[in-house]
Amino acid sequence: MDEDRTARDRALRGAHRRPRYRRRLRIAAWSAAGVVVVGVGAAAGVAYWQLDGNLKSVDINAQLGTDRPSAATDGSQNILVLGSDSRSGSNHAMAGGVTDGTARSDTAMVVHIDRDHSAASVVSIPRDTLVNRPACTGTDGHSPEPAAAGVMFNSAYQTGGAVCAVKTAESMTGLRMNHYVEVDFSGFAKLIDDIGGVTVTTTKQIDDPDSKLRLPAGTHRLNGTQALAFVRTRHSVGDGSDLGRIELQHQMVAAIAKQAGASSLLSDPGKLYSLANDATRSVTTDSDLGSVASLVSFGESVKGISASKLTMVTMPTQPAVSDPNRLEANPVLAKQLWGALKQDRPVPESVVRNEPANPVTG
């Protein structure tokens, strides 16, 4: 009897202890889960803060004021994208050519996003196009720079940085630039490496001692350094002018869009963070895009624009009357181009047909 009672007492005590033990386990488990969640949230917050801290921005709206073309009201947007040839920092080793301590807009594109954000037109502006540059403020943000007639488009950036480049682009096109994005040499190369390289095809050999690019005819997978040389080469392409280089840049834009859409970055948090870190270190934007949240929001709004939805053209030009070694806008076709984009219409066929034949890809 005593042994039976003792066994029952032990069983009862065990029954009372089990719920309490299980409850403690649950509390411990939820506490551990809470620590993990908080830890992940904190890490994400630190990463977000770091990415935000990488970004550089320019308050273009405040500096330009109201003396600008009216912004579109139909939802379409225009973005001035510049590739800077600054020789500072890690760009110095990648710049090549003559280094004089200044920076110019080595590449200039006006990207027009249609009202539905389902398609885009990418218009390249040859850097040696002669334009009438409006009065600007110098790169120090204070010194006045008088208006100048018949100067190369890329001198605007050298004269007054991003603000002067935007002001000159708006004056020339009649379009309001909603945003500004500048990418530097080293940043571009890193971004190409981050997405796993890009594939391009050439029907002619490229051998440019300035850009140090040597490619036989055929299809090539380019790493970041090679891709940078590809978009900068011109001396062994076509007639050696900037128009030939622009054709290579158009092919690169399409290749990047195709590769980014096919890559597995979104499923690899490490690679995605590396891309985001390099991207935010490499770009300068207008202040409206100067945060990770703004960039993500903007990216979400245009994520439906695939490579097949990009129309890429060069602003129609002709040899300049004042200097046959320079270009000037074709007055008729350029007006048609900018007028169509202002009304959010497709680029006219007359403008597309004016495009020079691709000297490399045929």
Side-chain angles (χ1 to χ4, degrees):
M1 291 287 293
D2 291 340
E3 291 179 0
D4 292 341
R5 186 180 299 111
T6 301
R8 284 198 304 271
D9 289 343
R10 283 200 300 268
L12 287 172
R13 287 196 299 271
H16 285 302
R17 280 199 301 267
R18 279 195 294 273
R20 187 177 304 140
Y21 178 67
R22 286 195 296 267
R23 186 165 61 251
R24 288 173 179 170
L25 279 178
R26 285 197 299 271
I27 293 172
W30 282 112
S31 297
V35 169
V36 170
V37 170
V38 170
V40 170
V46 169
Y48 190 93
W49 176 80
Q50 287 176 335
L51 294 177
D52 248 3
N54 289 343
L55 285 167
K56 301 178 290 294
S57 62
V58 181
D59 194 348
I60 290 173
N61 290 334
Q63 294 189 53
L64 289 183
T66 59
D67 186 20
R68 306 174 65 186
S70 299
T73 58
D74 57 7
S76 62
Q77 295 188 36
N78 302 298
I79 306 164
L80 179 63
V81 179
L82 297 184
S84 170
D85 69 352
S86 169
R87 267 68 173 174
S88 63
S90 57
N91 286 329
H92 180 79
M94 296 186 171
V98 177
T99 299
D100 58 7
T102 61
R104 302 173 186 83
S105 50
D106 194 61
T107 301
M109 297 178 178
V110 173
V111 180
H112 174 80
I113 299 172
D114 72 3
R115 70 188 69 188
D116 298 323
H117 288 202
S118 60
S121 299
V122 180
V123 183
S124 292
I125 302 173
R127 64 178 187 171
D128 53 0
T129 302
L130 299 184
V131 299
N132 294 327
R133 190 186 68 229
C136 292
T137 300
T139 53
D140 61 2
H142 304 289
S143 305
E145 294 288 345
V151 297
M152 291 199 302
F153 176 81
N154 71 342
S155 70
Y157 182 88
Q158 180 186 8
T159 299
V163 176
C164 192
V166 169
K167 190 173 184 179
T168 302
E170 291 185 342
S171 175
M172 181 180 71
T173 66
L175 300 173
R176 173 71 166 256
M177 298 297 137
N178 302 89
H179 296 298
Y180 167 82
V181 176
E182 176 188 333
V183 183
D184 65 30
F185 282 152
S186 60
F188 176 83
K190 287 178 181 177
L191 294 178
I192 295 299
D193 286 334
D194 285 337
I195 64 173
V198 290
T199 300
V200 299
T201 300
T202 66
T203 59
K204 296 183 180 180
Q205 177 180 331
I206 297 178
D207 187 354
D208 186 349
D210 281 358
S211 68
K212 299 180 176 59
L213 180 66
R214 291 176 174 83
L215 293 176
T219 298
H220 306 279
R221 187 73 171 181
L222 305 184
N223 62 26
T225 300
Q226 293 170 318
L228 176 61
F230 187 82
V231 298
R232 299 194 66 233
T233 194
R234 66 187 177 97
H235 293 301
S236 63
V237 178
D239 62 0
S241 73
D242 202 40
L243 297 177
R245 170 163 51 188
I246 284 173
E247 291 303 307
L248 299 184
Q249 293 170 354
H250 287 175
Q251 186 184 168
M252 181 59 64
V253 170
I256 291 172
K258 184 177 181 180
Q259 174 64 17
S263 70
S264 59
L265 285 171
L266 294 179
S267 61
D268 189 327
K271 289 183 178 179
L272 185 60
Y273 178 79
S274 178
L275 174 65
N277 188 47
D278 286 338
T280 51
R281 285 179 178 275
S282 306
V283 301
T284 300
T285 71
D286 64 284
S287 55
D288 287 345
L289 286 181
S291 69
V292 174
S294 298
L295 286 173
V296 169
S297 177
F298 179 77
E300 284 291 317
S301 73
V302 298
K303 66 180 181 181
I305 303 177
S306 62
S308 63
K309 296 294 185 180
L310 293 175
T311 299
M312 288 178 284
V313 298
T314 303
M315 182 185 74
T317 57
Q318 60 193 26
V321 174
S322 61
D323 184 349
N325 294 317
R326 297 287 181 256
L327 300 170
E328 62 185 17
N330 182 300
V332 175
L333 293 178
K335 183 177 180 180
Q336 291 178 3
L337 169 64
W338 303 128
L341 297 186
K342 191 171 186 177
Q343 297 176 38
D344 196 37
R345 292 188 286 105
V347 175
E349 283 299 318
S350 57
V351 173
V352 175
R353 287 195 302 269
N354 189 67
E355 285 286 288
N358 191 320
V360 173
T361 58

